[in-house]
Amino acid sequence: MDFFLALLPALFWGSMILFTVYIGGTAYSQLLGITVGALLFAVVNYAFSDPVITTKVFWVGLASGALWSVGQIGQLQSIKKLGAATTMPISTGMQLIATTLFGALVLSEWHNAMTTGLGLAALLLILAGVFLTSARAKNAPKDAAGQENMRGALVMLAVSTAGYLAYAVLAAFFKVKGSDAILPQSIGMVLMALLLTVKERPYNKDAFKNILPGIVWALGSFFMFLAQPRVGVAISFSLAQVAVAISTLGSIFILKEHKTPDQMKKVILGIVLIVLAAVLLGIAKNY
């Protein structure tokens, strides 16, 4: 039962991307709808729980939520250029590399030979996985427009990764409990979404429909908070990375994003390597 509970974050987070791509709309309307959905869930959760929202929790939560929206808009914009099946493995890989290097270089988490070895092995697996999942079809002619899209998407994902990293690190640095920060974070998410979308004014039915993916994402976070005390941070972290398999393969088989047979083999192998890397990083957290 605990193992199943620990898999739920991956199921919900992976499905969130599928929902929002299926619903459609611009990246701005998607972001606005997702953050509003997260806020609605947070309000309901607040009514039925007893979070300790101190001044520190409020402001750290607000800031980290705003940074999450920066990360999310970059990911959504990249999906528009490359598709979810290509974007999600690259985005996940970049986030894992960023958090691993930050932990090693800033937080000194690689404090012995075991953690260093596991961390370096994980980084190599992630790089290989990202390379495989983003590979062009075999014998495909060079496409200038496609290469330009890839370069633009990588810039967006670099900004996205910085936003996600800051979102994750901020709460940990100030030792803010995630379950206490749900409401302030969601408020920060919405405020930043409004700021990022103010010129686009995406106040339309697409934004309204994307409230559902926001609730789905919030449910993933909720189950993560439930799972961590039961199975530990290392296992819950590792299992959460299965989300990349759900979002990537779901994009191919459900949303019908085209991949050649050669690309499919590389995508599946790349996903396996990225998830394996996450498992190694999860193991390293226990040393």
Side-chain angles (χ1 to χ4, degrees), residues 160-210:
S160 171
T161 300
Y164 281 137
L165 175 64
Y167 154 75
V169 165
L170 199 60
F173 181 80
F174 286 99
K175 295 181 172 57
V176 170
K177 189 177 177 182
S179 55
D180 290 334
I182 290 177
L183 183 58
Q185 278 184 338
S186 63
I187 294 172
M189 288 161 62
V190 171
L191 291 176
M192 180 56 77
L194 289 170
L195 181 63
L196 292 171
T197 63
V198 65
K199 291 184 178 180
E200 302 294 327
R201 301 180 64 83
Y203 316 126
N204 49 43
K205 63 180 181 180
D206 289 329
F208 179 77
K209 291 177 182 177
N210 273 285

Side-chain angles (χ1 to χ4, degrees), residues 38 43 54 93 98 107-109 111 114 123 175 197 207 222 233 243 260 278:
V43 170
T54 62
L107 303 180
S108 301
E109 291 182 350
H111 46 75
M114 178 63 76
L123 289 178
K175 295 181 172 57
T197 63
F222 175 75
V233 174
T260 66

Side-chain angles (χ1 to χ4, degrees), residues 123-260:
L123 289 178
L124 290 174
L125 288 174
I126 293 168
L127 290 172
V130 168
F131 175 78
L132 287 168
T133 55
S134 60
R136 294 188 301 124
K138 186 184 292 185
N139 300 322
K142 289 188 176 181
D143 178 8
Q147 291 177 338
E148 182 62 29
N149 279 341
M150 176 61 79
R151 283 192 291 268
L154 288 176
V155 172
M156 293 172 184
L157 287 177
V159 175
S160 171
T161 300
Y164 281 137
L165 175 64
Y167 154 75
V169 165
L170 199 60
F173 181 80
F174 286 99
K175 295 181 172 57
V176 170
K177 189 177 177 182
S179 55
D180 290 334
I182 290 177
L183 183 58
Q185 278 184 338
S186 63
I187 294 172
M189 288 161 62
V190 171
L191 291 176
M192 180 56 77
L194 289 170
L195 181 63
L196 292 171
T197 63
V198 65
K199 291 184 178 180
E200 302 294 327
R201 301 180 64 83
Y203 316 126
N204 49 43
K205 63 180 181 180
D206 289 329
F208 179 77
K209 291 177 182 177
N210 273 285
I211 289 175
L212 174 60
I215 295 173
V216 170
W217 177 86
L219 281 168
S221 297
F222 175 75
F223 286 119
M224 175 62 88
F225 295 139
L226 291 181
Q228 283 184 343
R230 293 171 179 262
V231 301
V233 174
I235 294 176
S236 58
F237 170 82
S238 299
L239 291 178
Q241 307 313 313
V242 176
V244 68
I246 295 172
S247 59
T248 302
L249 297 178
S251 300
I252 295 170
F253 292 112
I254 299 174
L255 302 179
K256 306 300 182 183
E257 291 187 10
H258 177 69
K259 294 288 182 183
T260 66

